[in-house]
Amino acid sequence: DPEKFCPFLAERFKELGVEFELSANVTSIQLDYDKQSFSSVQLQRSSGSTHVVPCKAIFLAVGPWSDRGFSQLFPDAKTRLPMNSAHAAGNHFRIKIPGWKPDDKEDSVQVYYTNVTPDGSRFDVTSCTNGDLYIGGWGAIPEEIPELATSVHSQPSEVKAMIPFVKRYVNVDPSKELEYFDAGRCYRPTAIPKRPMITKTYRTRKSLSISGGLFINTGHSSNGITLGLGSGKVANKLVLGITPSVEISSLGLPEGAHL
């Protein structure tokens, strides 16, 4: 359950001494080319204040915003992250399991319905232990991803289009109006082609710094929660200096540049 899993991870990180800077943007990066690492980043908080954080490495893992974040941090880069987020969003909502009672013991079950419309639309239903049915996986009208996740909202026309098929395939009374809640839309970090990108930038003519560099972990599409811990283990191997795959020269940064 992502609503439980993500706070659990956040608390574990805090126990390990990790500090979070929420509602902040990285506005500049200071480089140390001699050591093949970054030296610091500057953050701008929502209050307008700035804060400098020393660092040797930067890890870019912001889901469907990864390509935009990469381009903003490295505007002169020769490389771009091949992602298509505008066409990779999905609408969703929740309903209550018909007849569910608080003392019912529910296992979490997920069912996928494919090709439910002539154009190949699909959706999936996930039962939750609190008596909710999560209805998701439905498509969306393509829209460019906004700057902030809080600006992503459901598309009423698509939610309306989902309802007849939910009534057809889910055990609800088809003669009654379907009561739903928590409607929304989620952008999936979909790479082109559709496989995750887990990599580290490096430089070919100088020795590789084990602790420094730019790391990227994105493109998991709708499988982020499923693959999250595994991709984290793979990324950890990159931090230890195993299997670098992108030249840092492709970032378009001059020696000693301050972005």
Coordinates of all heavy atoms in Angstrom, one line a residue, residues 108-199:
S108 N -5.7 -8.2 -0.2 CA -5.5 -7.3 -1.3 C -5.4 -8.1 -2.6 O -4.5 -8.9 -2.7 CB -4.3 -6.4 -1.1 OG -4.2 -5.4 -2.2
V109 N -6.3 -7.9 -3.5 CA -6.4 -8.6 -4.8 C -6.4 -7.6 -5.9 O -7.1 -6.6 -5.8 CB -7.6 -9.5 -4.8 CG1 -7.7 -10.3 -6.2 CG2 -7.6 -10.5 -3.7
Q110 N -5.7 -7.9 -7.0 CA -5.7 -7.0 -8.1 C -6.2 -7.7 -9.4 O -5.7 -8.8 -9.6 CB -4.3 -6.4 -8.3 CG -4.3 -5.2 -9.3 CD -3.0 -4.5 -9.3 OE1 -2.0 -5.1 -9.3 NE2 -3.1 -3.1 -9.2
V111 N -7.1 -7.1 -10.1 CA -7.6 -7.7 -11.3 C -7.4 -6.7 -12.5 O -7.7 -5.6 -12.3 CB -9.1 -8.1 -11.2 CG1 -9.6 -8.7 -12.5 CG2 -9.3 -9.1 -10.0
Y112 N -6.9 -7.2 -13.6 CA -6.7 -6.4 -14.8 C -7.8 -6.7 -15.9 O -8.0 -7.9 -16.2 CB -5.3 -6.6 -15.4 CG -4.2 -6.1 -14.5 CD1 -3.7 -6.9 -13.5 CD2 -3.7 -4.8 -14.7 CE1 -2.7 -6.4 -12.7 CE2 -2.7 -4.3 -13.9 CZ -2.2 -5.1 -12.9 OH -1.2 -4.6 -12.1
Y113 N -8.4 -5.7 -16.4 CA -9.4 -5.9 -17.5 C -8.8 -5.2 -18.7 O -8.5 -4.0 -18.7 CB -10.7 -5.2 -17.1 CG -11.4 -5.8 -15.9 CD1 -11.3 -5.3 -14.6 CD2 -12.3 -6.9 -16.1 CE1 -11.9 -5.9 -13.6 CE2 -12.9 -7.5 -15.0 CZ -12.7 -7.0 -13.8 OH -13.4 -7.6 -12.7
T114 N -8.6 -5.9 -19.7 CA -8.0 -5.4 -21.0 C -9.0 -5.4 -22.1 O -9.9 -6.2 -22.1 CB -6.7 -6.2 -21.4 OG1 -7.1 -7.5 -21.6 CG2 -5.7 -6.2 -20.3
N115 N -8.8 -4.4 -23.0 CA -9.6 -4.4 -24.2 C -11.1 -4.3 -23.9 O -11.9 -5.0 -24.5 CB -9.4 -5.5 -25.2 CG -7.9 -5.6 -25.7 OD1 -7.4 -4.5 -26.0 ND2 -7.3 -6.8 -25.7
V116 N -11.5 -3.5 -22.9 CA -12.9 -3.4 -22.5 C -13.7 -2.5 -23.5 O -14.9 -2.4 -23.5 CB -13.0 -2.8 -21.1 CG1 -12.4 -3.8 -20.1 CG2 -12.4 -1.5 -20.9
T117 N -13.0 -1.7 -24.4 CA -13.6 -0.9 -25.4 C -13.0 -1.3 -26.7 O -11.9 -1.8 -26.8 CB -13.4 0.6 -25.1 OG1 -12.0 0.9 -25.2 CG2 -13.9 1.0 -23.7
P118 N -13.7 -0.9 -27.8 CA -13.2 -1.2 -29.2 C -11.8 -0.7 -29.4 O -11.0 -1.2 -30.2 CB -14.2 -0.6 -30.1 CG -15.5 -0.6 -29.3 CD -15.1 -0.4 -27.9
D119 N -11.5 0.5 -28.8 CA -10.1 1.1 -29.0 C -9.1 0.5 -28.1 O -7.9 1.0 -28.0 CB -10.2 2.6 -28.9 CG -10.6 3.1 -27.5 OD1 -10.9 2.2 -26.6 OD2 -10.7 4.3 -27.3
G120 N -9.4 -0.5 -27.3 CA -8.4 -1.2 -26.5 C -8.2 -0.6 -25.1 O -7.2 -0.9 -24.4
S121 N -9.2 0.2 -24.6 CA -9.0 0.7 -23.2 C -9.0 -0.4 -22.2 O -9.5 -1.5 -22.4 CB -10.2 1.7 -22.9 OG -10.1 2.8 -23.8
R122 N -8.3 -0.1 -21.1 CA -8.2 -1.1 -20.0 C -8.3 -0.3 -18.7 O -8.2 0.9 -18.6 CB -6.8 -1.7 -20.1 CG -5.6 -0.8 -20.0 CD -4.3 -1.5 -19.9 NE -4.2 -2.2 -18.6 CZ -3.8 -1.6 -17.5 NH1 -3.6 -0.3 -17.4 NH2 -3.8 -2.3 -16.3
F123 N -8.5 -1.1 -17.6 CA -8.5 -0.6 -16.3 C -8.2 -1.8 -15.3 O -8.2 -2.9 -15.7 CB -9.7 0.1 -15.9 CG -11.0 -0.7 -15.7 CD1 -11.3 -1.2 -14.5 CD2 -11.8 -1.0 -16.8 CE1 -12.4 -2.0 -14.3 CE2 -12.9 -1.8 -16.6 CZ -13.2 -2.3 -15.4
D124 N -7.8 -1.4 -14.1 CA -7.5 -2.5 -13.1 C -8.2 -2.1 -11.8 O -8.5 -0.9 -11.6 CB -6.0 -2.6 -12.9 CG -5.3 -1.3 -12.6 OD1 -5.4 -0.8 -11.4 OD2 -4.6 -0.8 -13.4
V125 N -8.5 -3.1 -11.1 CA -9.2 -3.0 -9.8 C -8.4 -3.6 -8.7 O -8.0 -4.8 -8.8 CB -10.6 -3.7 -9.9 CG1 -11.4 -3.5 -8.5 CG2 -11.5 -3.1 -11.0
T126 N -8.2 -2.8 -7.7 CA -7.4 -3.3 -6.5 C -8.2 -3.2 -5.3 O -8.7 -2.1 -4.9 CB -6.1 -2.5 -6.4 OG1 -5.3 -2.6 -7.6 CG2 -5.2 -3.1 -5.2
S127 N -8.4 -4.3 -4.6 CA -9.1 -4.3 -3.3 C -8.1 -3.9 -2.2 O -7.0 -4.4 -2.2 CB -9.8 -5.6 -3.0 OG -8.8 -6.7 -2.9
C128 N -8.5 -3.1 -1.3 CA -7.7 -2.6 -0.2 C -8.3 -3.2 1.1 O -9.5 -3.4 1.2 CB -7.6 -1.1 -0.1 SG -7.0 -0.4 -1.6
T129 N -7.5 -3.3 2.1 CA -7.9 -3.9 3.4 C -8.9 -3.0 4.2 O -9.5 -3.5 5.1 CB -6.7 -4.3 4.3 OG1 -5.9 -3.1 4.5 CG2 -5.8 -5.3 3.6
N130 N -9.0 -1.7 3.8 CA -9.9 -0.8 4.5 C -11.3 -0.8 3.8 O -12.1 0.0 4.2 CB -9.3 0.6 4.5 CG -9.2 1.2 3.1 OD1 -9.4 0.5 2.1 ND2 -8.9 2.5 3.1
G131 N -11.5 -1.7 2.9 CA -12.8 -1.8 2.2 C -12.9 -0.9 1.0 O -14.0 -0.9 0.4
D132 N -11.9 -0.3 0.5 CA -11.9 0.4 -0.7 C -11.6 -0.5 -1.9 O -10.8 -1.5 -1.8 CB -10.8 1.5 -0.7 CG -11.2 2.7 0.3 OD1 -12.3 2.6 0.8 OD2 -10.3 3.6 0.4
L133 N -12.1 -0.1 -3.1 CA -11.7 -0.6 -4.3 C -11.1 0.5 -5.1 O -11.7 1.5 -5.4 CB -12.9 -1.2 -5.1 CG -13.5 -2.5 -4.7 CD1 -14.7 -2.9 -5.6 CD2 -12.4 -3.6 -4.7
Y134 N -9.8 0.4 -5.4 CA -9.1 1.4 -6.3 C -9.3 1.0 -7.7 O -8.9 -0.1 -8.2 CB -7.6 1.4 -5.9 CG -6.8 2.2 -6.8 CD1 -6.6 3.6 -6.5 CD2 -6.1 1.7 -7.9 CE1 -5.8 4.4 -7.3 CE2 -5.4 2.5 -8.7 CZ -5.2 3.9 -8.4 OH -4.4 4.6 -9.3
I135 N -9.9 1.9 -8.5 CA -10.1 1.7 -9.9 C -9.1 2.6 -10.7 O -9.2 3.8 -10.6 CB -11.6 2.1 -10.3 CG1 -12.6 1.5 -9.3 CG2 -11.9 1.6 -11.7 CD1 -12.7 0.0 -9.3
G136 N -8.2 2.0 -11.3 CA -7.2 2.8 -12.0 C -6.7 2.2 -13.3 O -7.3 1.2 -13.8
G137 N -5.6 2.7 -13.9 CA -5.1 2.2 -15.1 C -5.8 2.7 -16.4 O -5.4 2.3 -17.5
W138 N -6.9 3.5 -16.2 CA -7.6 4.0 -17.3 C -6.8 5.1 -18.0 O -6.0 5.8 -17.3 CB -8.9 4.6 -16.9 CG -9.9 5.0 -18.0 CD1 -10.0 6.2 -18.6 CD2 -10.8 4.1 -18.7 NE1 -11.0 6.2 -19.5 CE2 -11.5 5.0 -19.6 CE3 -11.2 2.8 -18.6 CZ2 -12.5 4.5 -20.5 CZ3 -12.2 2.3 -19.4 CH2 -12.8 3.1 -20.3
G139 N -6.9 5.3 -19.2 CA -6.1 6.3 -19.9 C -6.5 7.8 -19.6 O -7.3 8.0 -18.7
A140 N -5.9 8.7 -20.3 CA -6.2 10.1 -20.1 C -6.0 10.9 -21.4 O -5.3 10.5 -22.3 CB -5.2 10.7 -19.0
I141 N -6.6 12.0 -21.4 CA -6.4 12.9 -22.6 C -5.0 13.5 -22.4 O -4.6 14.0 -21.3 CB -7.4 14.1 -22.5 CG1 -8.8 13.5 -22.7 CG2 -7.2 15.1 -23.7 CD1 -9.9 14.5 -22.4
P142 N -4.1 13.4 -23.4 CA -2.7 13.8 -23.3 C -2.6 15.3 -22.9 O -3.3 16.2 -23.5 CB -2.1 13.6 -24.7 CG -3.0 12.6 -25.3 CD -4.4 12.8 -24.7
E143 N -1.9 15.6 -21.8 CA -1.6 16.9 -21.3 C -0.1 17.0 -20.9 O 0.4 16.0 -20.3 CB -2.5 17.3 -20.2 CG -4.0 17.5 -20.5 CD -4.8 17.9 -19.2 OE1 -4.1 18.3 -18.2 OE2 -6.0 17.8 -19.3
E144 N 0.5 18.1 -21.2 CA 1.9 18.3 -20.7 C 1.9 18.3 -19.2 O 1.0 18.9 -18.5 CB 2.5 19.6 -21.2 CG 2.9 19.5 -22.7 CD 4.0 18.5 -22.9 OE1 4.8 18.3 -22.1 OE2 3.9 17.8 -24.0
I145 N 2.9 17.7 -18.6 CA 2.9 17.6 -17.2 C 3.2 18.9 -16.6 O 4.0 19.7 -17.0 CB 4.1 16.6 -16.8 CG1 4.0 16.3 -15.3 CG2 5.4 17.1 -17.2 CD1 4.9 15.1 -14.9
P146 N 2.4 19.3 -15.5 CA 2.6 20.7 -14.9 C 3.9 20.7 -14.1 O 4.5 19.7 -13.8 CB 1.3 20.8 -14.1 CG 0.9 19.5 -13.7 CD 1.3 18.6 -14.9
E147 N 4.2 21.9 -13.6 CA 5.4 22.1 -12.8 C 5.3 21.4 -11.5 O 6.2 20.8 -11.0 CB 5.6 23.6 -12.5 CG 6.1 24.4 -13.8 CD 7.5 24.0 -14.1 OE1 8.3 23.6 -13.3 OE2 7.9 24.1 -15.3
L148 N 4.1 21.4 -10.9 CA 3.9 20.8 -9.5 C 2.9 19.7 -9.6 O 1.9 19.7 -10.3 CB 3.4 21.9 -8.6 CG 4.2 23.2 -8.4 CD1 3.5 24.2 -7.5 CD2 5.6 22.8 -7.8
A149 N 3.2 18.7 -8.7 CA 2.3 17.5 -8.6 C 0.9 17.9 -8.1 O -0.1 17.3 -8.5 CB 2.9 16.4 -7.7
T150 N 0.9 18.9 -7.3 CA -0.4 19.4 -6.8 C -1.3 20.0 -7.8 O -2.5 20.2 -7.6 CB -0.2 20.4 -5.6 OG1 0.7 21.4 -6.1 CG2 0.4 19.7 -4.4
S151 N -0.8 20.2 -9.0 CA -1.6 20.8 -10.1 C -2.1 19.7 -11.0 O -2.8 20.0 -12.0 CB -0.7 21.7 -10.9 OG -0.2 22.8 -10.2
V152 N -1.9 18.4 -10.7 CA -2.4 17.3 -11.5 C -3.8 16.9 -10.9 O -3.9 16.6 -9.7 CB -1.5 16.1 -11.4 CG1 -2.0 15.0 -12.3 CG2 -0.1 16.5 -12.0
H153 N -4.8 17.0 -11.8 CA -6.2 16.7 -11.3 C -6.8 15.7 -12.3 O -6.3 15.5 -13.4 CB -7.0 17.9 -11.3 CG -6.4 19.0 -10.4 ND1 -6.4 18.9 -9.0 CD2 -5.9 20.2 -10.7 CE1 -5.8 20.0 -8.5 NE2 -5.5 20.8 -9.5
S154 N -7.9 15.0 -11.8 CA -8.6 14.1 -12.7 C -9.2 14.8 -13.8 O -9.5 16.0 -13.8 CB -9.6 13.3 -11.9 OG -10.6 14.2 -11.4
Q155 N -9.5 14.1 -14.9 CA -10.2 14.6 -16.0 C -11.7 14.1 -16.0 O -12.0 12.9 -16.2 CB -9.6 14.2 -17.3 CG -8.1 14.7 -17.4 CD -7.4 14.1 -18.6 OE1 -7.6 12.9 -19.0 NE2 -6.5 14.9 -19.2
P156 N -12.6 15.0 -15.7 CA -14.0 14.6 -15.5 C -14.6 13.8 -16.6 O -15.4 12.8 -16.4 CB -14.8 15.9 -15.3 CG -13.8 16.8 -14.7 CD -12.5 16.4 -15.4
S157 N -14.3 14.1 -17.9 CA -14.8 13.4 -19.0 C -14.3 11.9 -19.0 O -15.1 11.0 -19.4 CB -14.5 14.1 -20.3 OG -13.1 14.1 -20.5
E158 N -13.1 11.7 -18.6 CA -12.5 10.4 -18.6 C -13.1 9.6 -17.5 O -13.3 8.4 -17.6 CB -11.0 10.4 -18.6 CG -10.3 10.9 -19.8 CD -10.7 10.1 -21.0 OE1 -10.4 8.9 -21.0 OE2 -11.2 10.6 -22.0
V159 N -13.2 10.2 -16.3 CA -13.8 9.5 -15.2 C -15.2 9.1 -15.5 O -15.7 8.0 -15.2 CB -13.8 10.4 -13.9 CG1 -14.6 9.8 -12.8 CG2 -12.4 10.7 -13.5
K160 N -16.0 10.0 -16.2 CA -17.4 9.6 -16.6 C -17.4 8.4 -17.5 O -18.2 7.6 -17.5 CB -18.0 10.8 -17.2 CG -19.5 10.6 -17.6 CD -20.0 11.9 -18.2 CE -21.5 11.7 -18.7 NZ -22.1 12.9 -19.2
A161 N -16.4 8.4 -18.4 CA -16.3 7.3 -19.4 C -15.9 6.0 -18.7 O -16.3 4.9 -19.2 CB -15.2 7.6 -20.5
M162 N -15.3 6.0 -17.6 CA -14.9 4.8 -16.9 C -16.1 4.1 -16.2 O -16.2 2.9 -16.1 CB -13.9 5.1 -15.7 CG -12.5 5.6 -16.2 SD -11.5 6.2 -14.8 CE -11.3 4.7 -13.9
I163 N -17.1 4.9 -15.8 CA -18.1 4.4 -14.9 C -19.0 3.3 -15.5 O -19.2 2.2 -14.9 CB -19.1 5.6 -14.5 CG1 -18.3 6.5 -13.5 CG2 -20.3 5.1 -13.8 CD1 -19.0 7.7 -13.1
P164 N -19.4 3.3 -16.8 CA -20.2 2.2 -17.4 C -19.4 0.9 -17.3 O -20.1 -0.2 -17.1 CB -20.5 2.7 -18.8 CG -20.4 4.2 -18.8 CD -19.3 4.5 -17.8
F165 N -18.1 0.9 -17.5 CA -17.4 -0.3 -17.6 C -17.1 -0.8 -16.2 O -17.0 -2.0 -16.0 CB -16.0 -0.1 -18.3 CG -16.3 0.3 -19.8 CD1 -16.2 1.7 -20.2 CD2 -16.6 -0.6 -20.7 CE1 -16.5 2.0 -21.5 CE2 -16.8 -0.3 -22.0 CZ -16.8 1.1 -22.4
V166 N -17.0 0.1 -15.2 CA -16.9 -0.4 -13.8 C -18.2 -1.1 -13.4 O -18.1 -2.1 -12.8 CB -16.6 0.8 -12.9 CG1 -16.6 0.4 -11.4 CG2 -15.2 1.4 -13.2
K167 N -19.3 -0.5 -13.8 CA -20.6 -1.1 -13.5 C -20.7 -2.5 -14.1 O -21.3 -3.4 -13.6 CB -21.7 -0.2 -13.9 CG -21.9 1.0 -13.0 CD -23.2 1.8 -13.5 CE -23.5 2.9 -12.5 NZ -24.7 3.6 -13.0
R168 N -20.1 -2.6 -15.3 CA -20.2 -3.9 -16.1 C -19.4 -5.0 -15.4 O -19.8 -6.2 -15.4 CB -19.8 -3.7 -17.5 CG -20.0 -5.0 -18.4 CD -19.5 -4.7 -19.8 NE -20.2 -3.6 -20.5 CZ -20.0 -3.2 -21.7 NH1 -19.0 -3.7 -22.4 NH2 -20.7 -2.2 -22.2
Y169 N -18.2 -4.7 -15.0 CA -17.2 -5.7 -14.6 C -17.1 -5.8 -13.0 O -16.5 -6.8 -12.6 CB -15.9 -5.4 -15.2 CG -15.8 -5.6 -16.7 CD1 -15.9 -4.5 -17.5 CD2 -15.8 -6.9 -17.3 CE1 -15.9 -4.6 -18.9 CE2 -15.7 -7.0 -18.6 CZ -15.8 -5.9 -19.5 OH -15.8 -6.0 -20.8
V170 N -17.5 -4.8 -12.3 CA -17.4 -4.9 -10.8 C -18.8 -5.1 -10.2 O -19.8 -4.6 -10.8 CB -16.8 -3.6 -10.3 CG1 -16.7 -3.6 -8.8 CG2 -15.4 -3.3 -10.9
N171 N -18.9 -5.9 -9.2 CA -20.1 -6.3 -8.6 C -20.8 -5.1 -7.8 O -20.7 -5.0 -6.6 CB -19.9 -7.5 -7.6 CG -21.2 -8.0 -7.1 OD1 -22.2 -7.8 -7.7 ND2 -21.1 -8.7 -5.9
V172 N -21.3 -4.2 -8.6 CA -22.1 -3.1 -8.0 C -23.5 -3.1 -8.7 O -23.7 -3.7 -9.7 CB -21.4 -1.7 -8.2 CG1 -20.1 -1.7 -7.5 CG2 -21.2 -1.5 -9.7
D173 N -24.4 -2.4 -8.0 CA -25.8 -2.3 -8.6 C -25.7 -1.4 -9.8 O -25.6 -0.2 -9.7 CB -26.7 -1.7 -7.5 CG -28.2 -1.8 -7.9 OD1 -28.4 -2.0 -9.2 OD2 -29.1 -1.7 -7.1
P174 N -26.0 -1.9 -11.0 CA -25.9 -1.1 -12.2 C -27.0 -0.1 -12.4 O -26.9 0.8 -13.2 CB -25.9 -2.2 -13.4 CG -26.7 -3.3 -12.8 CD -26.3 -3.3 -11.3
S175 N -28.1 -0.3 -11.6 CA -29.2 0.6 -11.7 C -29.1 1.9 -10.8 O -29.8 2.8 -11.0 CB -30.5 -0.1 -11.3 OG -30.5 -0.5 -9.9
K176 N -28.1 1.9 -10.0 CA -27.8 3.0 -9.1 C -26.6 3.8 -9.6 O -25.7 3.3 -10.2 CB -27.6 2.5 -7.6 CG -28.8 1.9 -7.0 CD -28.5 1.5 -5.6 CE -29.7 0.9 -4.9 NZ -29.4 0.5 -3.5
E177 N -26.7 5.1 -9.2 CA -25.5 5.9 -9.5 C -24.3 5.5 -8.7 O -24.4 5.3 -7.5 CB -25.9 7.4 -9.2 CG -24.8 8.4 -9.6 CD -25.2 9.8 -9.4 OE1 -26.4 10.1 -9.1 OE2 -24.3 10.7 -9.5
L178 N -23.2 5.4 -9.4 CA -22.0 4.9 -8.7 C -21.4 6.0 -7.9 O -21.1 7.1 -8.4 CB -20.9 4.5 -9.8 CG -19.7 3.8 -9.2 CD1 -20.0 2.5 -8.6 CD2 -18.6 3.7 -10.3
E179 N -21.2 5.8 -6.6 CA -20.6 6.7 -5.7 C -19.1 6.5 -5.6 O -18.7 5.4 -5.2 CB -21.3 6.6 -4.3 CG -22.8 7.0 -4.3 CD -23.3 6.9 -2.9 OE1 -22.6 6.7 -1.9 OE2 -24.6 7.1 -2.8
Y180 N -18.4 7.4 -6.1 CA -16.9 7.3 -6.1 C -16.3 8.5 -5.3 O -16.9 9.5 -5.1 CB -16.4 7.2 -7.5 CG -16.6 8.4 -8.4 CD1 -15.7 9.5 -8.3 CD2 -17.7 8.5 -9.2 CE1 -15.9 10.6 -9.1 CE2 -17.9 9.6 -10.0 CZ -17.0 10.6 -10.0 OH -17.2 11.7 -10.7
F181 N -15.0 8.4 -5.0 CA -14.3 9.4 -4.2 C -12.8 9.3 -4.6 O -12.4 8.4 -5.2 CB -14.6 9.3 -2.7 CG -14.1 8.0 -2.1 CD1 -12.9 7.9 -1.5 CD2 -15.0 6.9 -2.2 CE1 -12.5 6.7 -1.0 CE2 -14.6 5.7 -1.6 CZ -13.4 5.6 -1.0
D182 N -12.1 10.3 -4.1 CA -10.6 10.3 -4.3 C -10.2 10.2 -5.8 O -9.3 9.5 -6.1 CB -10.0 9.2 -3.5 CG -8.5 9.4 -3.3 OD1 -8.0 10.5 -3.4 OD2 -7.8 8.4 -3.0
A183 N -11.0 10.8 -6.6 CA -10.6 10.8 -8.1 C -9.4 11.6 -8.3 O -9.1 12.6 -7.7 CB -11.8 11.4 -8.9
G184 N -8.6 11.1 -9.2 CA -7.3 11.8 -9.5 C -6.7 11.3 -10.8 O -7.3 10.5 -11.6
R185 N -5.5 11.8 -11.1 CA -4.8 11.4 -12.3 C -3.3 11.3 -11.9 O -2.8 12.1 -11.2 CB -5.0 12.4 -13.4 CG -4.4 12.1 -14.8 CD -5.0 13.0 -15.9 NE -5.0 14.4 -15.5 CZ -4.1 15.2 -15.9 NH1 -3.1 14.8 -16.8 NH2 -4.1 16.5 -15.6
C186 N -2.7 10.3 -12.5 CA -1.3 10.1 -12.1 C -0.4 10.0 -13.4 O -0.8 9.2 -14.3 CB -1.2 8.8 -11.3 SG 0.5 8.4 -10.9
Y187 N 0.7 10.8 -13.5 CA 1.6 10.7 -14.6 C 2.6 9.6 -14.3 O 3.2 9.5 -13.2 CB 2.4 12.0 -14.8 CG 1.6 13.1 -15.5 CD1 0.7 13.9 -14.8 CD2 1.7 13.2 -16.9 CE1 0.0 14.9 -15.5 CE2 0.9 14.2 -17.5 CZ 0.1 15.0 -16.8 OH -0.6 16.0 -17.5
R188 N 2.8 8.7 -15.3 CA 3.8 7.6 -15.1 C 5.1 8.0 -15.7 O 5.1 8.6 -16.9 CB 3.2 6.4 -15.8 CG 1.9 5.9 -15.3 CD 1.4 4.7 -16.0 NE 0.0 4.3 -15.7 CZ -1.0 4.7 -16.4 NH1 -0.9 5.3 -17.5 NH2 -2.2 4.3 -16.1
P189 N 6.2 7.8 -15.1 CA 7.5 8.1 -15.7 C 7.9 7.1 -16.7 O 8.6 6.1 -16.5 CB 8.5 8.0 -14.5 CG 7.8 7.0 -13.5 CD 6.3 7.2 -13.7
T190 N 7.3 7.3 -17.9 CA 7.5 6.3 -19.0 C 8.7 6.7 -19.9 O 8.7 7.8 -20.5 CB 6.2 6.2 -19.8 OG1 5.1 5.8 -19.0 CG2 6.4 5.2 -20.9
A191 N 9.6 5.8 -20.0 CA 10.8 6.1 -20.9 C 10.6 5.5 -22.3 O 9.6 4.7 -22.5 CB 12.1 5.4 -20.3
I192 N 11.4 6.0 -23.2 CA 11.3 5.5 -24.6 C 12.7 4.9 -24.9 O 13.7 5.6 -25.0 CB 11.0 6.6 -25.6 CG1 9.7 7.4 -25.2 CG2 10.9 6.1 -27.0 CD1 9.5 8.6 -25.9
P193 N 12.7 3.5 -25.1 CA 11.6 2.5 -25.0 C 11.2 2.3 -23.6 O 11.9 2.8 -22.7 CB 12.3 1.3 -25.6 CG 13.7 1.4 -25.4 CD 14.0 2.9 -25.5
K194 N 10.2 1.5 -23.4 CA 9.6 1.4 -22.0 C 10.4 0.5 -21.1 O 10.0 -0.7 -20.9 CB 8.2 0.9 -22.2 CG 7.2 1.9 -22.8 CD 5.8 1.3 -22.8 CE 4.8 2.4 -23.3 NZ 3.4 1.9 -23.3
R195 N 11.6 0.9 -20.7 CA 12.3 0.2 -19.6 C 13.0 1.2 -18.8 O 13.4 2.3 -19.3 CB 13.3 -0.8 -20.3 CG 14.3 -0.2 -21.2 CD 15.2 -1.3 -21.7 NE 16.2 -0.9 -22.6 CZ 16.1 -1.0 -23.9 NH1 15.0 -1.6 -24.4 NH2 17.0 -0.6 -24.8
P196 N 13.3 0.9 -17.5 CA 13.9 1.9 -16.6 C 15.3 2.3 -17.0 O 16.0 1.6 -17.7 CB 13.9 1.2 -15.3 CG 12.8 0.1 -15.4 CD 12.9 -0.3 -16.8
M197 N 15.6 3.6 -16.6 CA 17.0 4.1 -16.8 C 17.6 4.2 -15.4 O 17.2 5.0 -14.6 CB 17.0 5.4 -17.5 CG 16.5 5.4 -18.9 SD 16.4 7.1 -19.6 CE 14.9 7.7 -18.9
I198 N 18.6 3.4 -15.2 CA 19.4 3.4 -13.9 C 20.8 3.6 -14.3 O 21.4 2.6 -14.8 CB 19.1 2.2 -13.1 CG1 17.6 2.0 -12.9 CG2 19.8 2.3 -11.7 CD1 17.3 0.7 -12.2
T199 N 21.4 4.7 -14.1 CA 22.8 4.9 -14.7 C 23.5 6.0 -13.9 O 23.0 6.7 -13.0 CB 22.7 5.4 -16.2 OG1 23.9 5.4 -16.8 CG2 22.0 6.8 -16.3

